[in-house]
């Protein structure tokens, strides 16, 4: 583990900031497991470290040896602040990138029962129709795991930030025009 990895794993943001300013700083150097410092910061839920790494040029969609991006890792661990930081990055992360099992970040969050993470991903436009290698959509996984709130979100019964529920939509005013079929 190099010093940048260590600072990320221990949550030493001040040390990380100094290390990233060094002439030989490499925010993308992977460890033996293929984890970049960004993967480690996401795993540990350190949104400030994530922001520093991204500002230093860390590859936002790098994959570890398991084919997981930092967003996959944050969703697996339920790190909402980190997920939001990744979704807010300029140029965006690939929200629908799949791991070797065909799982998107949304599928990972559903599988692990992280309701608020699911809500954030849906609000950011995650594709809920992606099918994993087992032939399951996010809704299929939610039903199999009996994730009631997530099922409601995926069906559009609970609003996400960008997706109003049917009850919240403005009713259309009737018009005097008769439409021909």
């Amino acid at each position: 583990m190099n010093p940048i990895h260590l600072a990320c794993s221990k949550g030493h943001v001040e040390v990380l900031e100094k290390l990233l300013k060094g002439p030989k700083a490499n925010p993308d150097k992977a460890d033996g497991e293929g984890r970049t410092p960004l993967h480690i910061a996401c795993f540990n839920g350190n949104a400030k470290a994530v922001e520093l790494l991204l500002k230093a040029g860390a590859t936002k969609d790098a994959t570890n040896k398991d084919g997981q991006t930092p967003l996959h890792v944050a969703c697996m661990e339920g790190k909402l602040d980190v997920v939001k930081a990744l979704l807010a990055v300029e140029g965006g992360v690939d929200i629908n990138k799949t791991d070797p099992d065909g799982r998107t970040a949304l599928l990972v969050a559903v599988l692990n029962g992280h309701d608020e993470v699911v809500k954030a991903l849906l609000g950011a436009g995650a594709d809920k129709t992606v099918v994993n290698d087992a032939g399951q959509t996010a809704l299929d996984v939610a039903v199999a795991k009996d994730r009631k709130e997530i099922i409601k979100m995926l069906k559009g019964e609970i609003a996400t930030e960008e997706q109003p529920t049917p009850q919240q939509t403005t009713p259309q005013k009737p018009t005097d025009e008769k439409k021909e079929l």
Side-chain angles (χ1 to χ4, degrees):
M1 198 177 273
N2 73 34
I4 294 176
H5 283 88
L6 192 57
C8 289
S9 70
K10 300 293 183 185
H12 297 306
V13 177
E14 301 81 20
V15 173
L16 175 62
E17 191 167 21
K18 288 178 184 175
L19 289 169
L20 289 171
K21 291 178 182 176
K24 295 183 180 180
N26 181 355
D28 284 332
K29 183 164 176 70
D31 66 9
E33 299 295 315
R35 297 173 302 187
T36 65
L38 189 54
H39 284 99
I40 293 170
C42 289
F43 178 83
N44 288 309
N46 193 326
K48 180 66 178 165
V50 167
E51 291 169 8
L52 287 172
L53 289 162
L54 291 169
K55 284 180 188 173
T59 302
K60 56 193 173 202
D61 290 316
T63 55
N64 61 20
K65 77 169 191 163
D66 296 322
Q68 300 164 329
T69 66
L71 183 59
H72 282 103
V73 172
C75 290
M76 185 181 326
E77 298 301 319
K79 306 298 186 182
L80 181 61
D81 290 342
V82 170
V83 169
K84 287 181 176 182
L86 289 168
L87 294 175
V89 68
E90 189 175 329
V93 294
D94 184 352
I95 196 169
N96 295 311
K97 185 169 182 149
T98 57
D99 67 11
D101 295 321
R103 294 178 300 208
T104 61
L106 178 61
L107 280 158
V108 169
V110 170
L111 180 65
N112 289 285
H114 300 303
D115 298 21
E116 292 302 313
V117 172
V118 169
K119 186 175 184 178
L121 291 167
L122 290 172
D127 184 351
K128 58 186 175 184
T129 65
V130 172
V131 177
N132 65 18
D133 289 355
Q136 300 170 307
T137 64
L139 183 58
D140 296 330
V141 172
V143 169
K145 294 287 186 179
D146 196 30
R147 311 252 193 250
K148 291 176 179 28
E149 291 300 306
I150 293 174
I151 292 168
K152 290 177 186 176
M153 280 185 254
L154 292 168
K155 287 183 170 182
E157 296 170 6
I158 296 177
T160 61
E161 291 151 21
E162 300 293 319
Q163 173 186 9
T165 61
Q167 295 83 14
Q168 293 175 322
T169 56
T170 307
Q172 297 292 334
K173 293 181 180 177
T175 63
D176 292 333
E177 296 177 25
K178 291 187 179 183
K179 296 186 180 181
E180 293 183 32
L181 300 175

